[in-house]
């Protein structure tokens, strides 16, 4: 059966189309406002709080949750766990769209989009972590585009070019892992410059390690979460192999995520101990920190462990959603909530409605593009003309 | 605790049961000591957790 051309009855006014249409129209208005009237019109950012949710959510959460690309391709092509092969294409597509949207969102924060190539090609700030992040994101986005391209080429019928690109898979995977290791950790390292602004419970010299390790289980959780959504809403695009083996992928990643999360939980405790920050745990900030660490790391780690042991897919999917929320909470705590924590509330940053709406617009744009690609290209199924590579 | 600054440090340390930290050396000794104890706990816990995760698997 040719699943490429199988699109369900075309109804224009579905709930999904209407809601996304309204969000996208609103987002376009906000985009015009942002780029014609400046940051002050649409955001609550100021000189005290120059980074808001466009960095905390769109960039930090976006990059962490797009880690499924390198995690899945490394599992399959480097560690030889071929049972994860069917998850590679959806994960690479999510990562590619995730990074593309991160770059798009960065334009809203930074402005002057025509200067995007400057840090890489014109004026390199080689002593800055931001330069490293920028360079890595630029290179990794290129790697992800090439890794994703065989699906588009199969759809378009570019057989020779597709076969040539597929030969680069292992090289691209290795390059992707190196680049991800570099920039995932560097995003955490960015906050090492603000020991006096970030609350001691979140500030640590291990921040780069925390960011990198948490990106691993963020990526795995995102693959499980996305797989469960695809299973529910795009089942008609899945071939028999995907339908039969997707639960095996979920259990495999659940076990790995559980182990990594438990390790992450303990290195966070070690960070507390090395900094001798135990006394902060008994403050209101400490309760918030414990909610993040126990409620959104330890608890889902146990859920994953029990779910994978008992082969309970519902529990695993619940743990995946919980973990994704936990990653968002962690990144937002570091960049927004526990940042400038000592300031009086009048000087603290609270995102404006228009900032939140812009973030919703960017996420919605990602969902629409993902749906467009998945309903047309061989992402959730194999193209009948090509065997598994 | 109100500690008179004219008293020798050794005496103050004895009075406060070594909990007052005066130097980076003291700080590192204290925090590393606690961390090593935690590490010991982790080294015992993690293999047990791994056993719990993989128990009964046939692959």
């Amino acid at each position: 059966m040719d699943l490429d051309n199988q699109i369900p009855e075309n109804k224009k006014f579905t709930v999904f189309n209407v809601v996304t249409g309204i969000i996208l129209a609103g987002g376009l208005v906000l985009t015009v406002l942002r780029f014609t009237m400046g940051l002050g019109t649409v955001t609550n950012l100021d000189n005290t709080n120059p980074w808001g949710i466009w960095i905390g959510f769109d960039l930090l959460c976006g990059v962490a949750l797009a880690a499924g690309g390198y995690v899945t391709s490394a599992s399959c092509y480097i560690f030889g766990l071929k049972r994860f092969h069917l998850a590679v294409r959806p994960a690479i597509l999510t990562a590619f769209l995730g990074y593309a949207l991160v770059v798009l969102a960065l334009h809203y924060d930074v402005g002057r989009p025509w200067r995007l190539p400057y840090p890489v090609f014109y004026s390199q700030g080689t002593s800055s972590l931001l330069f490293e992040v920028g360079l890595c994101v630029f290179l990794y986005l290129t790697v992800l585009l090439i890794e994703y391209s065989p699906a588009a080429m199969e759809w378009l019928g570019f057989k020779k070019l597709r076969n040539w690109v597929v030969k680069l898979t292992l090289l691209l995977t290795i390059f992707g892992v190196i680049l991800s290791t570099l920039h995932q950790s560097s995003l955490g390292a960015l906050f090492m410059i603000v020991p006096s602004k970030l609350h001691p419970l979140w500030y640590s010299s291990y921040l780069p390690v925390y960011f990198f390790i948490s990106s691993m289980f963020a990526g795995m959780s995102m693959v499980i979460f996305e797989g469960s959504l695809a299973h529910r809403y795009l089942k008609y695009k899945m071939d028999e192999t995907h339908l039969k083996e997707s639960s095996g992928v979920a259990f495999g990643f659940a076990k790995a995520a559980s182990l990594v999360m438990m390790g992450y939980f303990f290195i966070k405790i070690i960070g507390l101990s090395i900094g001798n920050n135990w006394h902060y745990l008994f403050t209101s900030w400490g309760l918030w920190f414990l909610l993040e660490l126990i409620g959104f790391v330890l608890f889902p780690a146990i859920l994953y462990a029990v779910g994978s042991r008992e082969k309970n897919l519902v529990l695993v999917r619940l743990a995946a959603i919980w973990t994704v929320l936990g990653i968002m909470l962690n990144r937002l705590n570091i960049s927004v909530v526990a940042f400038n924590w000592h300031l009086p509330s009048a000087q603290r940053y609270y995102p404006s409605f228009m900032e939140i709406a812009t973030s919703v617009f960017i996420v919605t744009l990602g969902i629409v593009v993902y749906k467009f690609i998945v309903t047309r290209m061989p992402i959730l199924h194999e193209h009948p003309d090509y065997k598994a590579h | 605790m109100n500690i008179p600054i004219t008293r020798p440090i050794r005496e103050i340390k004895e009075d406060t049961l070594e909990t007052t930290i005066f130097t980076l050396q003291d700080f590192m000794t204290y925090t590393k000591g606690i961390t090593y104890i935690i590490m010991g706990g982790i080294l015992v816990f993690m293999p047990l957790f791994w056993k719990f995760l993989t128990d009964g698997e046939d692959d």
Side-chain angles (χ1 to χ4, degrees):
Chain A
M1 183 171 57
D2 184 6
L3 289 164
D4 275 352
N5 300 317
Q6 189 187 327
I7 297 173
E9 196 184 341
N10 197 10
K11 291 179 191 166
K12 282 180 185 166
F13 292 100
T14 58
V15 178
F16 176 83
N17 287 356
V18 171
V19 173
T20 51
I22 292 168
I23 294 172
L24 293 182
L28 287 175
V29 174
L30 289 171
T31 304
V32 173
L33 277 176
R34 157 66 187 95
F35 286 101
T36 54
M37 313 285 280
L39 274 176
T41 313
V42 286
T43 72
N44 283 344
L45 299 172
D46 52 33
N47 287 337
T48 314
N49 300 291
W51 283 2
I53 59 160
W54 288 350
I55 296 296
F57 178 75
D58 298 4
L59 196 143
L60 295 183
C61 296
V63 168
L65 296 173
Y70 87 86
V71 172
T72 313
S73 52
S75 309
C76 180
Y77 300 121
I78 296 178
F79 299 116
L81 302 168
K82 294 296 176 195
R83 63 189 161 129
F84 293 118
H85 183 258
L86 61 97
V88 170
R89 276 199 178 173
I92 292 289
L93 175 63
T94 313
F96 171 59
L97 291 178
Y99 275 89
L101 293 173
V102 161
V103 175
L104 176 70
L106 199 59
H107 282 311
Y108 284 76
D109 199 74
V110 177
R112 297 207 258 182
W114 57 92
R115 287 205 166 196
L116 182 70
Y118 271 47
V120 177
F121 296 107
Y122 181 70
S123 174
Q124 299 87 355
T126 48
S127 59
S128 167
L129 273 169
L130 274 176
F131 169 70
E132 192 210 332
V133 172
L135 184 65
C136 282
V137 170
F138 161 68
L139 291 173
Y140 190 44
L141 189 57
T142 312
V143 165
L144 285 169
L145 175 66
I146 303 170
E147 280 187 300
Y148 150 75
S149 65
M153 288 172 192
E154 286 172 16
W155 180 56
L156 295 167
F158 299 161
K159 201 166 185 174
K160 275 188 181 170
L161 191 58
R162 178 262 179 210
N163 289 341
W164 186 79
V165 173
V166 161
K167 287 177 187 159
L168 298 173
T169 303
L170 183 62
L171 188 72
L172 290 170
T173 303
I174 294 168
F175 199 34
V177 170
I178 293 169
L179 290 169
S180 296
T181 312
L182 287 168
H183 73 267
Q184 293 281 1
S185 56
S186 295
L187 284 173
L190 282 180
F191 290 90
M192 287 173 66
I193 204 170
V194 287
S196 59
K197 290 185 178 179
L198 186 58
H199 191 283
L201 284 173
W202 283 272
Y203 181 83
S204 166
S205 53
Y206 297 119
L207 268 173
V209 182
Y210 293 160
F211 266 58
F212 176 60
I213 293 179
S214 58
S215 80
M216 290 184 207
F217 60 80
M220 293 180 212
S221 302
M222 201 58 196
V223 171
I224 298 171
F225 175 56
E226 183 204 315
S228 64
L229 287 181
H231 215 266
R232 182 162 183 176
Y233 298 107
L234 296 161
K235 204 171 181 175
Y236 63 95
K237 295 301 298 181
M238 291 177 149
D239 58 20
E240 210 170 305
T241 319
H242 275 74
L243 288 170
K244 206 167 63 183
E245 294 178 12
S246 60
S247 56
V249 171
F251 291 134
F253 273 144
K255 189 162 72 174
S258 175
L259 191 71
V260 177
M261 286 171 90
M262 203 52 93
Y264 174 76
F265 173 79
F266 282 123
I267 59 165
K268 288 284 276 190
I269 298 290
I270 288 171
L272 263 183
S273 173
I274 288 288
N276 198 26
N277 289 322
W278 301 104
H279 58 287
Y280 286 111
L281 289 179
F282 305 102
T283 62
S284 53
W285 285 104
L287 290 177
W288 187 242
F289 178 80
L290 288 175
L291 176 76
E292 181 197 310
L293 195 59
I294 295 174
F296 287 90
V297 179
L298 186 61
F299 175 62
I302 294 168
L303 275 188
Y304 267 141
V306 176
S308 122
R309 219 177 109 97
E310 309 290 328
K311 300 282 178 264
N312 186 335
L313 202 54
V314 178
L315 215 55
V316 167
R317 285 174 177 170
L318 181 70
I321 298 170
W322 212 255
T323 309
V324 168
L325 290 175
I327 285 293
M328 288 182 189
L329 182 66
N330 171 258
R331 299 305 195 257
L332 286 172
N333 274 343
I334 289 171
S335 60
V336 177
V337 181
F339 197 82
N340 278 335
W341 63 286
H342 54 282
L343 290 181
S345 63
Q347 290 178 39
R348 295 294 308 273
Y349 160 81
Y350 300 96
S352 71
F353 169 74
M354 287 189 275
E355 277 178 272
I356 297 169
T358 306
S359 292
V360 173
F361 161 67
I362 289 169
V363 173
T364 309
L365 191 62
I367 294 169
V368 170
V369 177
Y370 179 86
K371 196 180 169 211
F372 177 86
I373 292 174
V374 162
T375 48
R376 283 160 182 81
M377 299 178 198
I379 303 291
L380 298 172
H381 61 271
E382 276 188 300
H383 195 285
D385 296 348
Y386 303 89
K387 287 187 290 182
H389 52 271
Chain B
M1 184 184 295
N2 194 12
I3 302 167
I5 54 168
T6 50
R7 293 174 65 197
I9 285 176
R10 188 188 301 157
E11 209 176 290
I12 296 167
K13 277 187 172 179
E14 281 163 6
D15 280 1
T16 54
L17 297 172
E18 303 277 340
T19 51
T20 309
I21 293 169
F22 288 97
T23 64
L24 185 61
Q25 169 80 14
D26 287 348
F27 180 79
M28 297 298 276
T29 308
Y30 176 73
T31 56
K32 280 204 161 189
I34 301 280
T35 307
Y36 279 128
I37 293 168
I38 294 170
M39 283 296 294
I42 295 170
L43 283 173
V44 173
F45 176 82
M46 285 308 271
L48 293 173
F49 183 66
W50 175 250
K51 197 171 180 322
F52 172 78
L53 264 181
T54 56
D55 206 16
E57 271 189 10
D58 44 8
D59 58 327

